[in-house]
C-alpha cells in the first residue's frame, strides 16, 4: 500500500498544479480586483457580481440554455432508441458497434467542428457530389447539429449501460401479466433506465452550455454562448475577474449536476 502511495505522487502533483491551483486562482480573481498581469496589493470585492446583468451575458445565458436544451432533447430522441437497440441485440458484433459509437470521441473535437463547418457552406463537397447546398453557417440549426454530433455518445452510453444491465425477467413478467410493448416500456423499461437518462442529459447539457469553439466556427460569432463570453473576457476584453466569476458559477453548476447524478445512480455505473 505504501508503494502504491508513492506511485500516485506524480498524479497528485499533476492535479495540484493543473487543477487545484488554477481553481484557487480563478476563485480569488472572482471576488477581488487582482490583476494577474500586475501583481501587487489587492482587495476582496463583490463589484463583479453587479456586472452579471451586462446585456451580452444575459444574451449568452439565454442562448446557452435554449440551444443546449434543443441539442440535449435531440440527443435523447436519437440516443435512447440507439441505446435500446444496442442493449438488446444478440449479435456478436455488439461490442464492435458500441466501439464505433465511441471512436469519434477519440478524434480531435476542433477537426470535427471544422468538418461540419465545411459542409455547411453553400459550396462544399455536398454541392460537388450531390448538388446539395446547405448554407447553414451563421444559423442556430448549424450549432444544434454540431452539438448533437459531438455529444450524442454522452447520451447513448449511460443509457446503454443501464439498459444492458437491466433484469430482463422484469420485462418478461410484464408481458406475462398482459402488458403490451408500449405499456411495458412505459411502466418498466423507462422508469428503470431513468438513472441513465438523467446522467446522459447532464453529461450532454453541460458541455453544450459551455461550448465556445463550436458556436464560434459554425455561427461566425453571431451567436454567443457562455463559453464565448468567458473566452472574450479572458482573451480580448481584459475582464478576467468577471470571466472568472462566470467560470466559478459554471463550476458550481457542474458540481450540483454531478451530485444529482449520484442521487439517481448511487453506484456510479453510468458515469463514463
Amino acid at each position: 500500500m505504501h508503494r502504491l502511495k508513492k506511485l500516485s505522487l506524480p498524479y497528485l502533483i499533476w492535479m495540484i498544479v493543473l487543477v487545484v491551483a488554477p481553481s484557487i486562482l480563478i476563485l480569488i480573481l472572482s471576488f477581488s480586483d487582482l490583476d494577474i498581469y500586475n501583481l501587487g496589493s489587492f482587495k476582496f470585492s463583490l463589484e463583479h457580481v453587479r456586472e452579471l446583468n451586462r446585456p451580452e451575458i444575459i444574451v449568452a445565458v439565454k442562448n446557452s440554455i435554449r440551444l443546449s436544451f434543443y441539442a440535449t432533447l435531440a440527443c435523447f430522441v436519437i440516443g435512447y432508441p440507439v441505446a435500446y437497440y444496442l442493449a438488446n441485440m444478440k449479435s456478436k458484433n455488439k461490442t464492435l458497434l458500441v466501439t464505433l459509437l465511441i471512436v469519434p470521441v477519440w478524434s480531435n473535437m476542433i477537426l470535427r467542428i471544422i468538418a461540419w463547418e465545411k459542409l455547411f457552406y453553400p459550396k462544399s463537397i455536398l454541392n460537388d457530389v450531390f448538388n446539395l447546398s446547405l448554407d447553414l453557417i451563421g444559423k442556430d440549426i448549424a450549432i444544434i447539429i454540431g452539438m448533437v454530433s459531438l455529444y450524442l455518445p454522452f447520451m447513448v452510453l449511460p443509457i446503454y449501460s443501464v439498459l444492458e444491465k437491466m433484469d430482463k425477467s422484469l420485462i418478461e413478467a410484464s408481458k406475462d401479466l398482459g402488458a403490451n410493448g408500449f405499456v411495458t416500456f412505459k411502466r418498466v423499461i423507462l422508469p428503470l433506465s431513468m438513472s441513465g437518462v438523467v446522467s446522459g442529459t447532464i453529461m450532454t447539457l453541460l458541455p453544450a452550455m459551455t461550448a465556445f469553439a463550436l458556436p464560434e466556427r459554425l455561427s461566425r460569432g453571431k451567436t454567443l454562448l457562455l463559453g464565448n463570453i468567458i473566452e472574450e473576457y479572458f482573451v480580448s476584453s481584459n475582464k478576467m475577474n468577471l470571466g472568472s466569476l462566470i467560470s466559478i458559477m459554471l463550476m458550481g453548476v457542474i458540481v450540483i449536476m454531478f451530485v444529482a447524478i449520484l442521487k439517481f445512480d448511487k453506484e456510479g455505473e453510468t458515469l463514463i
Side-chain angles (χ1 to χ4, degrees):
M1 183 63 69
H2 184 67
R3 184 182 177 184
L4 291 176
K5 287 183 178 180
K6 287 185 177 180
L7 292 175
S8 67
L9 186 59
Y11 300 97
L12 180 61
I13 296 173
W14 184 275
M15 289 289 291
I16 292 174
V17 172
L18 296 181
V19 179
V20 178
S23 297
I24 293 174
L25 177 60
I26 289 175
L27 183 62
I28 294 173
L29 285 169
S30 300
F31 300 101
S32 73
D33 59 358
L34 177 67
D35 183 354
I36 63 172
Y37 295 122
N38 185 21
L39 294 177
S41 62
F42 73 96
K43 61 180 180 179
F44 288 98
S45 171
L46 297 177
E47 176 185 350
H48 309 297
V49 176
R50 293 191 288 269
E51 294 187 70
L52 290 174
N53 63 350
R54 296 172 67 95
E56 66 268 22
I57 296 178
I58 295 174
V59 170
V61 169
K62 290 180 179 178
N63 287 338
S64 296
I65 294 174
R66 177 172 56 86
L67 294 179
S68 62
F69 171 78
Y70 290 145
T72 302
L73 181 61
C75 285
F76 172 73
V77 171
I78 298 170
Y80 198 102
V82 172
Y84 185 84
Y85 173 77
L86 290 174
N88 290 280
M89 70 180 303
K90 300 291 193 277
S91 173
K92 60 182 180 180
N93 297 323
K94 180 177 181 178
T95 304
L96 175 62
L97 292 176
V98 175
T99 303
L100 290 176
L101 182 68
I102 301 173
V103 164
V105 181
W106 298 343
S107 64
N108 187 280
M109 183 183 70
I110 299 297
L111 292 179
R112 286 184 284 158
I113 293 173
I114 293 175
W116 280 113
E117 180 186 12
K118 299 299 183 184
L119 291 177
F120 289 157
Y121 278 116
K123 292 185 178 181
S124 66
I125 190 173
L126 296 177
N127 188 259
D128 297 333
V129 177
F130 303 106
N131 196 28
L132 178 64
S133 177
L134 294 180
D135 193 15
L136 296 179
I137 290 295
K139 299 178 181 178
D140 288 349
I141 186 64
I143 299 176
I144 294 172
I145 292 173
M147 286 179 174
V148 172
S149 71
L150 291 179
Y151 308 130
L152 182 60
F154 300 139
M155 177 67 76
V156 174
L157 293 176
I159 297 175
Y160 164 77
S161 176
V162 173
L163 290 174
E164 204 267 338
K165 297 173 183 177
M166 185 180 296
D167 188 354
K168 301 300 188 292
S169 64
L170 297 175
I171 300 175
E172 295 298 327
S174 174
K175 293 179 179 179
D176 290 342
L177 292 173
N180 57 31
F182 176 76
V183 173
T184 298
F185 175 78
K186 180 181 177 182
R187 298 287 182 86
V188 179
I189 299 174
L190 185 58
L192 290 177
S193 63
M194 280 308 297
S195 62
V197 173
V198 172
S199 296
T201 298
I202 293 174
M203 296 172 72
T204 304
L205 189 67
L206 288 177
M209 285 184 66
T210 57
F212 68 93
L214 191 148
E216 180 67 27
R217 301 289 305 197
L218 299 186
S219 76
R220 281 305 179 199
K222 294 180 181 179
T223 303
L224 293 178
L225 303 188
L226 284 171
N228 302 111
I229 293 293
I230 294 172
E231 181 195 26
E232 179 185 340
Y233 285 171
F234 270 88
V235 177
S236 305
S237 303
N238 195 24
K239 297 177 181 175
M240 291 189 180
N241 303 83
L242 183 54
S244 297
L245 178 59
I246 298 173
S247 300
I248 285 293
M249 293 174 66
L250 287 175
M251 289 169 63
V253 171
I254 291 172
V255 171
I256 292 171
M257 291 295 189
F258 273 98
V259 169
I261 289 179
L262 295 176
K263 286 280 187 180
F264 282 88
D265 181 18
K266 299 188 185 310
E267 297 180 358
E269 63 180 6
T270 62
L271 292 173
I272 54 174

